[in-house]
DNA sequence: GACCCACATCGTGTATACAATATCGCTATC
DNA sequence: GATAGCGATATTGTATACACGATGTGGGTC
């Protein structure tokens, strides 16, 4: 009913309507607000955003390229349905890409980049102590981002971020599982040691294990919460 | 002038207009028929495809997500300009992804997949002897495709294909450089040996070297042909 | 002669109108 | 009672029309 994009978000006002709609839908999907398989009616979305169908259509088509939604011929658009198998495939892919990035980063990062990373990692100890999930989630994102960029390969960093973003909907939940946050930080610590020693291969293996541990924690959570 | 999509291509007739336009533009860009930086006027393209601006716009926006074109606010769309640095970044990324894939594939491929790959590789010797660049190019594509799929990770395979396709415009040329085709086949041979021994790490290192050699051959070709 | 501003022009961004097709419900028949 | 065929309806796909912003040019001024 109300035009959601009108005045409440200061940054959302300017820019192209289709871009704003695309960003809004991207957020809603990756945050899990829109359930997988949910139908995305063009007219309905147009009304919701106070726009016509044209920019909505463009946004939906772009999301389809990103893999966030699924266009089914002339039968409408739905939020991408992901089977558990596919989700695990995505996690494995992210794990491999992260492992690749940390190996390159170990060999290429500047001393300044290294010291910034160490500093961030040191500060994360306090976050774990406080048990602040949201703060740790934000730290975690930036920690990995810095590793991507430390590869000094902008294209690779873009790809890494793009792939990771498709798992956003699942990212936050896994941290709340038991001692996962503490263990995550410990795993970061092991990775940092390998980086400090300049052993990219070791850092890579530890990063892969780190990511797969996170995936396993998530899988346990999903299986526990859906005992169908 | 003439409606290009009308009747000459039997497979191109059915399906959505916007999809056909997108596929046509994708081919033209990845094959290098449209020069980087070339302006893509919406009305002009609409006329060329015998359609209205609407499906053309959708196609262009989708290509932008793929990174093939660049939208510059309200100032039109151009074929993505890639600096030499960015091209090398893309090659390195592809090399790393290929290396990742062959490592996983070595550990996971079925005996049938392995024997098919060996068979293909053996047959490629004859292609090299004949000096048939186009045939080798086709073989090469399928060789790498089979490795992607032998990872038994469909998502990873999709990502690998998507990233590789963005370098299509440069792929063919490098094979014509000197003994590159012969050396490419020799490198494949070394990779096959590592796979046969079940040594994924070795296969990975050799694949990375193989891809970077191809990139270097291309770089030499570019620098030689543009002595500005 | 160089720089700046106004205006014309072109192309993109969005809205609306029209066409085509898939879905759903109804009826008729087996 | 179930199923197949048919039609109504709703939603997508495409076309056209309009609005807004950007770019480039011409004239004027310093």
């Amino acid at each position: 009913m109300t035009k959601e994009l009108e005045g409440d978000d200061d940054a959302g006002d300017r820019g192209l309507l289709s871009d704003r709609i695309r960003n809004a839908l991207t957020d809603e999907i990756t945050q899990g607000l829109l359930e997988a398989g949910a139908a995305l009616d063009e007219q309905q979305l147009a009304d919701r955003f106070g726009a016509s169908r044209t920019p909505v259509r463009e946004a939906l088509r772009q999301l389809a390229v990103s893999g966030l939604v699924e266009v089914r011929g002339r039968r409408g658009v739905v939020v991408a349905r992901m089977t558990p198998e596919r989700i695990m495939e995505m996690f494995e892919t992210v794990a491999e890409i992260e492992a690749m990035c940390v190996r390159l980063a170990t060999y290429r990062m500047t001393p300044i980049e290294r010291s910034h990373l160490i500093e961030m990692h040191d500060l994360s100890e306090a976050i774990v102590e406080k048990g602040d999930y949201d703060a740790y989630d934000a730290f975690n994102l930036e920690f990995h981002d810095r590793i991507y960029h430390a590869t000094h390969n902008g294209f690779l960093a873009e790809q890494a971020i793009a792939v990771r973003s498709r798992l956003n909907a699942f990212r936050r939940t896994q941290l709340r599982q038991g001692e996962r946050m503490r263990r995550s930080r410990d795993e970061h610590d092991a990775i940092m040691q390998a980086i400090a020693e300049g052993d990219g291969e070791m850092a890579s293996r530890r990063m892969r294990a780190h990511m797969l541990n996170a995936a396993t924690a998530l899988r346990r959570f999903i299986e526990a919460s859906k005992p169908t």
Side-chain angles (χ1 to χ4, degrees), chain A residues 34-224:
Chain A
L34 287 169
E35 201 168 355
L40 296 169
D41 185 89
E42 293 180 1
Q43 187 60 55
Q44 192 174 319
L45 288 171
D47 294 344
R48 191 153 81 80
F49 290 114
S52 76
R53 278 178 52 218
T54 309
V56 171
R57 273 185 67 82
E58 284 190 358
L60 288 177
R61 298 314 186 127
Q62 288 179 286
L63 294 178
V65 176
S66 307
L68 288 174
V69 304
E70 195 179 330
V71 294
R72 304 174 304 169
R74 283 184 161 90
R75 303 185 300 169
V77 176
V78 296
V79 177
R81 264 185 289 258
M82 295 190 289
T83 65
E85 290 74 25
R86 189 164 180 82
I87 292 172
M88 291 316 290
E89 284 185 359
M90 291 170 70
F91 264 108
E92 178 177 76
T93 303
V94 171
E96 293 293 339
I97 290 176
E98 294 263 357
M100 171 201 304
C101 284
V102 79
R103 182 173 54 76
L104 290 174
T106 299
Y107 297 137
R108 298 180 182 178
M109 63 179 19
T110 65
I112 291 175
E113 286 169 338
R114 181 161 23 233
S115 61
H116 278 175
L117 200 62
I118 292 171
E119 188 182 357
M120 275 190 66
H121 173 62
D122 287 344
L123 290 173
S124 72
E125 174 61 28
I127 297 174
V128 174
E129 288 295 330
K130 277 193 293 184
D132 189 338
Y133 294 113
D134 289 335
Y136 189 83
D137 183 55
F139 150 75
N140 198 29
L141 272 181
E142 192 180 340
F143 181 81
H144 287 270
D145 265 3
R146 282 181 187 261
I147 289 173
Y148 303 155
H149 288 105
T151 62
H152 293 265
N153 182 328
F155 181 76
L156 175 57
E158 286 172 26
Q159 296 299 119
I161 290 172
V163 174
R164 182 187 64 180
S165 73
R166 292 181 57 178
L167 288 171
N168 262 2
F170 312 103
R171 180 166 39 77
R172 251 184 290 266
T173 54
Q174 58 99 2
L175 286 176
R176 301 183 185 276
Q177 296 316 108
E179 284 295 304
R180 182 65 204 133
M181 187 163 68
R182 159 59 62 193
R183 290 185 52 196
S184 169
R185 207 259 172 199
D186 289 345
E187 289 160 11
H188 281 192
D189 201 70
I191 293 166
M192 291 304 296
Q193 282 186 18
I195 290 175
E197 294 170 14
D199 189 341
E201 303 297 335
M202 174 78 84
S204 181
R205 283 193 298 276
R206 288 177 175 174
M207 177 64 87
R208 189 181 302 131
H210 170 54
M211 299 303 292
L212 293 179
N213 283 340
T216 302
L218 174 69
R219 193 217 295 258
R220 284 210 196 94
F221 174 70
I222 290 175
E223 287 175 355

